[in-house]
Amino acid sequence: MPIARLDGVRLHYDTYGAGEPVVMVTGTGAPGRMWRTHQVPALTAAGHRIVTLDNRGIPPSDPCADGFTLADMAADVAALIESLGEGACRVVGYSLGAIAVQELRLARPELVRAAVLMATSGRTDALTAAMTAADLELVEGDGKLPPRFAAYVRALQNLSPRTLNDEERLRDWLAVFEMTAVDRSEIRGQLGLQLIPDRLAAYRLIDVPCLVIGFQDDLVVRPHLSREVADALPNSTYAEIAGCGHYGYLERPAAVNAAITDFFAAAGP
């Protein structure tokens, strides 16, 4: 279990495959192993060495119970890239992880050579603000929902109608969600970090090649928010994956993986 002590914070990471590294950053409450089922096999087969990170607040990385910021998350990714000793890397971010990658590219432009930004945004809209306020209010209680209740709420928020209407697939998803129910009090440090000011003007300074991926049926980060980021980035391509919700990289992994590998191949060494 590789653990790096970076700027005083213990961060857990895993590496897979050989070649030039691709650092992958997950979203709120998600461990790095979320990439392992679908993205790691596809990207290593394409010749990349994959480095997945458990963001601070996600065990076994340090909990940082006193709180932390989006800038801290970006600095963690910067420190991890520097520890690899190979210069600028390709970086993939999802949801909150994608926002952290955007901030990383602004703060440490020399460390990112190309970026894939999935389910990202450049500002806080009214629905995001309302969802976050509700999550924080829940945490101020005991932070716990009955696992079966939490599973169906998670399904409604994160899956597409295509999956919700497929009863066999839906039963599988509900079982997984029930077994992996998240105690929101344990991820208190990450909640609220997506409440960002409008950063779209600042993102015009990000000039490396970027692929922005939106998910057609995403109710958490609606795809128009991701398209706004793509429109702000001067050297970007936007791709929208149909038939999937916020968990698009798990619902339609083949389409997502093809978009990533094709983008990296086109972006060059």
Side-chain angles (χ1 to χ4, degrees):
M1 179 183 292
I3 297 283
R5 184 171 290 277
L6 305 172
D7 296 331
V9 176
R10 286 165 41 92
L11 295 174
H12 170 253
Y13 67 97
D14 284 305
T15 61
Y16 309 86
E20 294 184 354
V22 175
V23 176
M24 305 192 75
V25 188
T26 57
T28 304
R33 67 176 179 272
M34 295 296 291
W35 302 113
R36 198 163 59 196
T37 301
H38 298 296
Q39 280 67 52
V40 167
L43 293 176
T44 54
H48 303 291
R49 174 160 57 99
I50 304 306
V51 182
T52 65
L53 168 69
D54 289 321
N55 295 315
R56 61 170 71 195
I58 303 299
S61 293
D62 280 348
C64 299
D66 292 335
F68 51 90
T69 66
L70 187 61
D72 292 327
M73 288 184 62
D76 290 343
V77 182
L80 177 60
I81 291 172
E82 289 181 315
S83 75
L84 299 175
E86 300 192 34
C89 289
R90 299 179 175 93
V91 186
V92 177
Y94 163 72
S95 197
L96 176 61
I99 300 174
V101 171
Q102 289 155 198
E103 296 301 317
L104 166 67
R105 184 57 183 77
L106 287 175
R108 299 292 306 277
E110 75 280 7
L111 295 180
V112 181
R113 59 191 286 194
V116 176
L117 308 164
M118 290 191 280
T120 191
S121 63
R123 62 183 179 90
T124 298
D125 72 321
L127 184 57
T128 301
M131 287 190 296
T132 302
D135 280 338
L136 291 171
E137 187 173 316
L138 177 63
V139 167
E140 295 307 317
D142 63 11
K144 297 179 181 178
L145 293 172
R148 189 173 296 176
F149 181 85
Y152 101 76
V153 170
R154 195 170 165 192
L156 289 175
Q157 286 182 329
N158 294 289
L159 300 178
S160 67
R162 172 179 173 172
T163 298
L164 293 173
N165 294 332
D166 183 330
E167 293 194 24
E168 184 174 349
R169 290 186 68 203
L170 179 59
R171 278 192 284 268
D172 290 341
W173 278 99
L174 288 170
V176 170
F177 288 160
E178 191 169 343
M179 289 187 295
T180 59
V182 175
D183 183 343
R184 291 173 186 257
S185 65
E186 295 179 356
I187 59 168
R188 175 65 177 82
Q190 289 190 3
L191 293 176
L193 294 187
Q194 70 269 39
L195 294 178
I196 59 173
D198 191 324
R199 298 287 285 158
L200 295 172
Y203 293 163
R204 295 191 180 100
L205 300 175
I206 298 175
D207 58 359
V208 296
C210 293
L211 170 65
V212 179
I213 298 177
F215 301 130
Q216 183 183 55
D217 299 315
D218 192 340
L219 298 179
V220 177
V221 181
R222 274 82 58 230
H224 75 272
L225 295 171
S226 297
R227 186 182 287 276
E228 287 180 352
V229 173
D231 289 343
L233 298 170
N235 189 12
S236 72
T237 301
Y238 178 75
E240 190 165 303
I241 308 297
C244 56
H246 192 59
Y247 287 168
Y249 71 109
L250 300 176
E251 275 194 282
R252 303 238 17 235
V256 170
N257 296 342
I260 295 172
T261 54
D262 289 350
F263 167 70
F264 284 155

